[in-house]
Amino acid sequence: MSKQELHDPEANMTEGYEMSGMRDVDHDEVLAPEQQGLKRDLRLRHMIMIAISGTIGTGLFLTSGTTIATVGPGGALLAYSIIGIWLVFVCQAIAEIATLLPLPGAFNAWGGRVFDEALSFQMSWMYFINLALIIPAELAAAAVIVGFWTEGSNFPSWVVSVIILLVMIAVNLVGVKVYGEFEYWFSMLKMITIIMFIICGILVDAGVLGGVKYGMTAWHVEGAPFKGGFISFITTLVSVSYSYGGTEMTGVTAAESRNPHKHVPKAVNTVLLRIAFFYLVSIFLLGSIVENNDKSLLNENSSAAKAPFTIVFAKAGINAAANYMNAVVFTSVFSASNSAFYIATRTLLSLSRNGWAHKYIGYTNARGVPQVAVGIVSACSCLSLITIFVGSGVVFQWLVSIIGSIIFQSWILILFLHFRFRYCWKKQGRSVSNLPYAAWGYPYGNILATIIGCCCIITICYLSVINPPHYPGDDASPAQLELYRKTRDRYAQGLLRAWFPWVCSTCLFLGYKFVRKTKFIKAEDADLDTGRFIPSESDKEDLKPRGPKWKRFLQYFV
């Protein structure tokens, strides 16, 4: 490398594109700018576990009990089922397009291909904002979880956030392969724990462990199976979406998959089945063993000692359950935040390569790591240090409210882009049979998911503006003033939850369209080829089914 190149970031960046971007591609493939410089080092096992690790975190371990306490066991199961159905078809849409176009920005980059560049700009920045909030939310949760062991001491909770952040930075600077290995083993631990819980829950419910047969008695107590009314149920859907959020990460990791044609569909299909098993079976067992009026379900301080999973282990007579679950929840939080950190850096990379952020942010080193992006995400993660002033639990709850609504918006826009993609594909005279992977259930599944999503979003926005708090007056009693302050805070949180994503998105979309004068993309002009993965002969050989039919059938599910 010449001296000029050493001092010229653009020259260095160009070299990274040519060297790092092309040497991992041993066949004729036209790379999009945002793909250049990345390494295809993620294997199938990494892809599957990354999607699982991004999903199974604080949402399931810490907030599932609050959901049951708020809407009852039947309401919780229904809420997780409704959002799960929506997510199934969102992931199918992601799998179809990401298999064809494995771009770092994934669904955020599709808008500029099939609809309007302004939509891609808006979606990319909103997704980055979402990730930038998820990381401090998870770090705040980690600080609360460690409080289980440090209760009564003067240990500052923010130290935990700083330590986790430093570890995440180190993991993401080493390279994507190390990141994939970390996520693989952390996800394995979470899966083993949930399987242990399900087995333990079945034995406890049947009376084999603990000496008490629960059956379905918890579904017949006061407040069961449904409680809280319609408003509580709709509000709960936002926290449930936070629990599920992260599954869409498979689309982003496709850019660094060794064989997207094989890995993306496999990861999506297996993850959906596993999450349906983990979430729905777990919620059913929780609702059957722990009554919805059990005060420990409220889990106001997010301590795993009172989390529903720990309650079931305790009922089974496993005394070490609290410490074990707290350790698992802690590793889960680290895993989920690490996944969000990785995706955030790749989203920034995509923004830079598309000209929507500074060009230096798109620089990648010899290991394929976007170093500048890592530094920016690290700075955003320091938002978790707000816990020094207002407390970890407060920060976590407010961030969850915003994150859940942004996830709602992302999912509904992904479905819209899938409709548009199919229209462009057909308009250009291409057959669905030419797609490397076709989403099953299209278009009826997409229509159902869109209806579910629109109903949720419209209802949440409507409920956020009704029943505003009224000031009781200067002569009000302290109790009345305290009630007013709590009601006011809940109302403000509801407004932020419902309207922040849409107000922010509208400003981004219209602002970009006004400044850049972008135009609507005609279906005939949609770019469906740049960045398309062209499998080599070895890739095609890898796609061929092997082994007996019964084994291939089992492999489809596991």
Side-chain angles (χ1 to χ4, degrees):
M1 187 183 299
S2 66
K3 291 182 179 179
Q4 180 183 1
E5 288 173 323
L6 283 170
H7 295 285
D8 185 358
E10 289 190 57
N12 197 9
M13 205 183 306
T14 303
E15 183 188 29
Y17 291 171
E18 295 172 355
M19 300 287 289
S20 302
M22 298 303 295
R23 63 187 170 200
D24 292 326
V25 182
D26 57 356
H27 47 282
D28 187 18
E29 179 178 357
V30 180
L31 291 176
E34 61 264 42
Q35 290 173 306
Q36 297 172 349
L38 296 177
K39 300 286 187 178
R40 285 200 169 129
D41 282 339
L42 291 179
R43 299 180 181 274
L44 177 59
R45 62 188 181 92
H46 296 144
M47 296 282 291
I48 292 174
M49 290 303 187
I50 286 171
I52 291 177
S53 68
T55 304
I56 301 176
T58 52
L60 178 61
F61 288 122
L62 294 183
T63 64
S64 55
T66 306
T67 303
I68 294 173
T70 304
V71 296
L77 191 61
L78 181 61
Y80 276 94
S81 299
I82 289 174
I83 301 300
I85 291 171
W86 182 7
L87 182 59
V88 163
F89 296 106
V90 169
C91 285
Q92 284 298 308
I94 291 173
E96 178 174 301
I97 307 179
T99 302
L100 180 77
L101 299 170
L103 306 173
F107 41 86
N108 300 311
W110 302 339
R113 300 291 189 96
V114 300
F115 183 70
D116 192 312
E117 188 178 319
L119 182 62
S120 257
F121 174 82
Q122 172 246 305
M123 286 186 68
S124 296
W125 274 111
M126 285 304 298
Y127 195 61
F128 174 74
I129 291 171
N130 180 49
L131 294 165
L133 293 175
I134 286 177
I135 299 169
E138 297 287 355
L139 293 177
V144 176
I145 291 165
V146 172
F148 170 74
W149 290 302
T150 61
E151 188 175 0
S153 69
N154 295 323
F155 183 79
S157 60
W158 60 268
V159 173
V160 178
S161 300
V162 172
I163 293 173
I164 294 177
L165 179 58
L166 292 175
V167 175
M168 285 195 301
I169 293 171
V171 170
N172 281 272
L173 283 176
V174 173
V176 67
K177 191 171 184 179
V178 174
Y179 159 78
E181 287 298 329
F182 258 83
E183 290 308 302
Y184 178 81
W185 292 108
F186 277 132
S187 298
M188 186 68 72
L189 175 62
K190 286 188 280 189
M191 288 177 60
I192 292 172
T193 300
I194 296 177
I195 291 171
M196 287 171 54
F197 165 77
I198 290 173
I199 295 172
C200 179
I202 293 173
L203 295 176
V204 170
D205 193 52
V208 178
L209 293 178
V212 179
K213 184 177 180 179
Y214 294 93
M216 297 287 288
T217 55
W219 287 65
H220 301 289
V221 300
E222 184 180 356
F226 300 96
K227 66 182 290 189
F230 179 72
I231 294 178
S232 295
F233 178 76
I234 293 296
T235 304
T236 299
L237 292 178
V238 177
S239 61
V240 171
S241 69
Y242 173 77
S243 300
Y244 276 123
T247 311
E248 71 279 352
M249 289 180 179
T250 307
V252 183
T253 56
E256 294 176 89
S257 165
R258 293 199 173 192
N259 188 348
H261 283 194
K262 177 182 179 180
H263 295 173
V264 176
K266 181 77 173 177
V268 167
N269 288 325
T270 56
V271 166
L272 290 175
L273 290 167
R274 290 174 181 180
I275 287 176
F277 173 73
F278 291 150
Y279 273 87
L280 299 185
V281 174
S282 296
I283 294 298
F284 175 77
L285 288 172
L286 286 173
S288 299
I289 297 172
V290 185
E291 296 182 359
N292 66 86
N293 54 11
D294 191 322
K295 293 182 179 180
S296 57
L297 275 179
L298 294 176
N299 194 22
E300 294 178 355
N301 63 350
S302 298
S303 169
K306 296 181 180 179
F309 281 70
T310 303
I311 297 172
V312 174
F313 279 124
K315 288 179 180 290
I318 305 176
N319 298 324
N323 283 300
Y324 173 75
M325 275 307 302
N326 217 57
V328 171
V329 173
F330 182 78
T331 59
S332 299
V333 169
F334 172 78
S335 175
S337 57
N338 195 36
S339 290
F341 194 102
Y342 164 78
I343 301 299
T345 60
R346 270 49 183 182
T347 303
L348 266 183
L349 174 72
S350 177
L351 282 164
S352 173
R353 298 287 175 83
N354 282 294
W356 303 331
H358 200 282
K359 59 186 177 183
Y360 291 111
I361 297 175
Y363 169 75
T364 55
N365 62 17
R367 295 186 298 274
V369 177
Q371 290 177 305
V372 180
V374 169
I376 294 173
V377 175
S378 302
C380 293
S381 302
C382 292
L383 184 64
S384 61
L385 298 181
I386 293 176
T387 57
I388 298 172
F389 307 103
V390 297
S392 303
V394 175
V395 172
F396 179 69
Q397 292 299 328
W398 277 82
L399 291 177
V400 166
S401 297
I402 302 172
I403 292 165
S405 292
I406 297 178
I407 290 171
F408 271 11
Q409 183 190 74
S410 295
W411 289 355
I412 204 72
L413 289 176
I414 288 170
L415 291 171
F416 164 73
L417 288 174
H418 189 211
F419 280 120
R420 179 67 183 169
F421 168 79
R422 277 293 187 98
Y423 177 75
C424 295
W425 188 262
K426 183 178 179 180
K427 202 71 174 176
Q428 293 183 7
R430 311 188 194 208
S431 172
V432 175
S433 61
N434 293 330
L435 289 169
Y437 178 79
W440 47 263
Y442 184 89
Y444 305 108
N446 282 40
I447 293 172
L448 173 62
T450 302
I451 292 172
I452 292 174
C454 289
C455 288
C456 290
I457 292 168
I458 292 170
T459 306
I460 288 170
C461 289
Y462 170 73
L463 293 176
S464 69
V465 297
I466 63 173
N467 301 324
H470 299 286
Y471 185 65
D474 296 331
D475 57 345
S477 65
Q480 289 177 317
L481 291 173
E482 180 64 23
L483 178 61
Y484 166 73
R485 282 191 288 268
K486 289 183 178 180
T487 307
R488 180 195 59 192
D489 291 345
R490 283 197 298 268
Y491 187 74
Q493 190 173 344
L495 285 175
L496 190 65
R497 173 176 58 226
W499 295 102
F500 172 79
W502 301 103
V503 172
C504 191
S505 294
T506 302
C507 293
L508 287 169
F509 181 84
L510 295 179
Y512 188 84
K513 197 163 184 64
F514 175 77
V515 173
R516 294 291 183 94
K517 311 295 182 184
T518 60
K519 295 182 179 180
F520 177 75
I521 298 172
K522 295 180 181 179
E524 296 83 356
D525 300 329
D527 181 7
L528 305 179
D529 293 305
T530 305
R532 183 173 176 176
F533 177 74
I534 309 297
S536 65
E537 290 303 317
S538 60
D539 292 329
K540 292 177 182 178
E541 189 66 26
D542 192 35
L543 288 170
K544 293 180 180 179
R546 292 183 176 85
K549 290 183 178 180
W550 65 268
K551 188 175 182 179
R552 298 203 302 267
F553 178 78
L554 288 177
Q555 286 176 341
Y556 181 83
F557 293 98
V558 298

